[in-house]
Amino acid sequence: ERYTPLIEPLSLDEAFLDVTGSRALFGEASAIARRIRDEIRAEVGLPASAGIADVKFVAKIASDSGKPAGQKEVPPGTSREFLAPLPVSRLWGVGPKTEEVLVRLGLKTIGDVASKDREWLTKNLGSSAQHFWELANAIDPRVVVPDREAKSIGAQDTFDEDLLGEEALKPHLHSQALRVGRRLRRAGVKARVVHLTVKYSDFTAISRQVTLDAPTDDGQALYREACVLLQKA
């Protein structure tokens, strides 16, 4: 927050930052990332990595390649070339099973997916084809959405491998509920509606929600309601 108010948490220790409007004060994005990493190291004693790109998906991949304590910048207009040699497993939503399918189709790298005809991909991959093709071509129009301006407060996770059954999901649901509770208390608000979305490996999604008798910012209460919604989903 010292450098931009446009911060979108991705997980407990990751976030997207839009520093477009901060460059006049603090310099280019690479300089801002370096300063943030230096301050984390000096004040918290932890290493941090950063990825810099013009779209979210590429910035996340670049950050991973900078771990544990470096940074990677992908200049504007070069995202497709940066992604091309990477394995298809790096695409969001590709777990081991989907990777097997893609490799059987001859799609071993992200560049292989990017260069394929979309109709061919749809014929062989179904509804997920468009999603994979867009990511492979560095098409990710999502903007950074800060929590403070949101009408809702939430938490979500995408898993490297598919999880099967309620019991496998509950620890993650518990962690999410506690995160949402903390964010509610930090924002000084309480929630009246609890909403749960479950997304499957083919990218279809089921949503359920419940209106509470009384608003709450208690993560445990949110977890109990989310478990009921999970059973219904």
Side-chain angles (χ1 to χ4, degrees):
E1 290 179 339
R2 299 174 188 176
Y3 296 94
T4 176
L6 300 178
I7 303 168
E8 180 181 350
L10 180 62
S11 63
L12 184 64
D13 62 348
E14 292 181 291
F16 289 116
L17 280 68
D18 185 344
V19 296
T20 307
S22 307
R23 292 179 296 176
L25 282 175
F26 301 111
E28 292 303 311
S30 58
I32 294 173
R34 194 171 294 110
R35 289 175 66 165
I36 292 173
R37 290 173 47 243
D38 288 345
E39 289 174 15
I40 291 173
R41 185 184 302 108
E43 296 177 29
V44 189
L46 293 173
S49 63
I52 302 145
D54 49 8
V55 296
K56 278 182 170 180
F57 171 62
V58 179
K60 174 69 170 72
I61 297 295
S63 177
D64 291 342
S65 69
K67 289 180 178 179
Q71 66 185 56
K72 171 70 176 177
E73 182 171 8
V74 181
T78 67
S79 291
R80 196 172 184 271
E81 290 74 18
F82 168 72
L83 294 173
L86 300 178
V88 289
S89 59
R90 300 300 298 275
L91 289 172
W92 279 342
V94 174
K97 292 180 181 178
T98 305
E99 183 181 7
E100 287 179 13
V101 173
L102 291 170
V103 170
R104 272 203 310 270
L105 292 170
L107 306 175
K108 297 180 180 180
T109 67
I110 293 179
D112 292 336
V113 178
S115 62
K116 273 294 182 182
D117 178 74
R118 273 184 287 180
E119 289 186 9
W120 184 91
L121 286 173
T122 301
K123 180 179 178 182
N124 287 276
L125 299 175
S127 59
S128 60
Q130 181 71 16
H131 166 80
F132 292 142
W133 184 88
E134 288 183 353
L135 287 184
N137 281 282
I139 299 171
D140 185 10
R142 297 170 305 151
V143 298
V144 173
V145 181
D147 270 2
R148 66 176 63 186
E149 294 178 2
K151 298 294 184 181
S152 63
I153 291 178
Q156 63 179 18
D157 293 297
T158 301
F159 306 110
D160 291 333
E161 298 183 13
D162 294 343
L163 299 183
L164 302 177
E166 288 179 37
E167 295 308 312
L169 286 169
K170 280 184 176 179
H172 302 283
L173 199 61
H174 186 249
S175 173
Q176 290 175 339
L178 296 184
R179 278 151 56 193
V180 170
R182 285 195 297 270
R183 292 176 186 172
L184 287 167
R185 293 191 294 275
R186 193 162 61 231
V189 296
K190 294 186 177 183
R192 191 68 184 260
V193 175
V194 179
H195 183 99
L196 175 76
T197 296
V198 179
K199 185 174 287 187
Y200 293 90
S201 58
D202 63 357
F203 293 93
T204 59
I206 289 180
S207 294
R208 298 288 184 269
Q209 70 179 40
V210 62
T211 300
L212 307 178
D213 293 333
T216 185
D217 58 9
D218 180 358
Q220 292 290 356
L222 297 173
Y223 171 64
R224 289 191 293 271
E225 296 295 339
C227 284
V228 175
L229 294 175
L230 182 61
Q231 292 177 341
K232 293 180 179 179

